Each structure stands twice: as structure tokens, then as C-alpha cells.
């Protein structure tokens, strides 16, 4: 019985290794320094700077005057949050919203060579609405916006890691 379990465990391990399963690792970037051009009060810009700085191989240049010293410049061209009504009750009261976060960005070298052209990322979530639970729905809305922002930062990190040469 013990031998059967050991054999079954070994077979499962071999199957996982054979399928190419691998834990996600920290991204490797083709550049050594980056300047993130975002609005000073941008929560997305702050989170993105923190995520990039957590990588050991890339230095984030924070000072706008030192921007020419950065190897690449990530420009956050737009960062919008939208709330659209998508469902109404028979009496015309709002029952469902769609929350959207839209980000436009581009990546270029300090000399101006475009590495990633003007690109837009869009995240959207649906949220039901009940006027008797306004505070709870507002908290849920903020949580969904924060979740969408985290997803967009992860997408941006993957796109930055996909740049092979500067």
C-alpha cells in the first residue's frame, strides 16, 4: 500500500514536471533604470514604481530632473476610472453598474526610440447596487477599483518584461 502511494506520488510529480508547470518568477527586464512619468498623485503610478523597485535589477529614477539619466521612460498618458449604469429596475432605479479602469501608456528610451507604442489597457467589473446598502456597496466599489489597478500593474510589468532589447 505504501509502495503504491509512493509510486502514485512519483507519477504525479513526473506529470507536473513534464507539462512545463513552473512557478511564476520575478520578471527580468532588458533595461537597468526607468523613469515613470505619472501624475504625482497617481495611485497607479505609486504602485507601479513600488512593483518595479521590488525587482533587484532595475533602479527607479524618481527625480524629474534626472529623467535623462534613466535608460527608459514609461509615460502614463491617461488613467481613468469610469462608472456606467448597465441595469435598471422596472421602476427606473439603478440595479447594476459597470466599473472600468482605463490606462494608456507608452515606453521609450531616453533618446526617444519607441519600445512600446501608445497602448491602452482596460479592466472592467460589474457590481450590483442596492440603495439600502449604500456604504457597503461603496466599500465594494473601492475594493474592485483597487483590484483592477493591481491587475493593470501586473499587466504592465509583464509588458515591460517582454521588451527584449533597448
Amino acid at each position: 500500500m505504501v509502495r503504491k502511494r509512493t509510486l502514485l506520488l512519483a507519477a504525479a510529480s513526473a506529470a507536473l514536471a513534464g507539462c512545463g508547470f513552473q512557478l511564476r518568477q520575478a520578471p527580468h527586464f532588458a533595461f537597468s533604470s526607468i523613469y515613470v512619468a505619472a501624475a504625482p498623485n497617481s495611485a497607479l503610478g505609486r504602485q507601479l514604481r513600488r512593483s518595479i523597485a521590488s525587482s533587484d535589477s532595475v533602479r527607479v529614477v524618481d527625480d524629474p530632473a534626472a529623467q535623462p539619466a534613466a535608460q527608459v521612460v514609461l509615460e502614463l498618458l491617461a488613467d481613468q476610472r469610469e462608472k456606467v449604469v448597465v441595469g435598471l429596475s422596472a421602476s427606473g432605479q439603478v440595479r447594476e453598474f459597470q466599473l472600468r479602469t482605463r490606462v494608456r501608456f507608452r515606453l521609450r528610451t531616453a533618446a526617444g526610440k519607441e519600445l512600446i507604442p501608445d497602448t491602452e489597457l482596460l479592466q472592467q467589473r460589474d457590481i450590483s447596487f442596492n440603495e439600502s446598502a449604500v456604504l457597503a456597496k461603496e466599500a465594494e466599489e473601492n475594493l474592485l477599483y483597487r483590484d483592477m489597478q493591481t491587475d493593470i500593474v501586473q499587466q504592465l510589468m509583464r509588458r515591460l518584461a517582454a521588451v527584449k532589447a533597448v
Side-chain angles (χ1 to χ4, degrees), residues 115-130:
L115 301 173
I116 299 176
D118 190 345
T119 305
E120 181 176 273
L121 299 177
L122 174 68
Q123 286 283 315
Q124 56 189 28
R125 304 284 193 276
D126 292 333
I127 181 173
S128 61
F129 182 75
N130 185 350

Side-chain angles (χ1 to χ4, degrees), residues 42-49 76 78-79 103 149 152-153 156:
S42 170
L44 179 75
R46 281 192 305 273
Q47 186 176 358
L48 188 57
R49 284 183 193 98
L76 293 178
D79 179 9
V103 174
Q149 177 178 307
I152 285 179
V153 167
L156 272 165

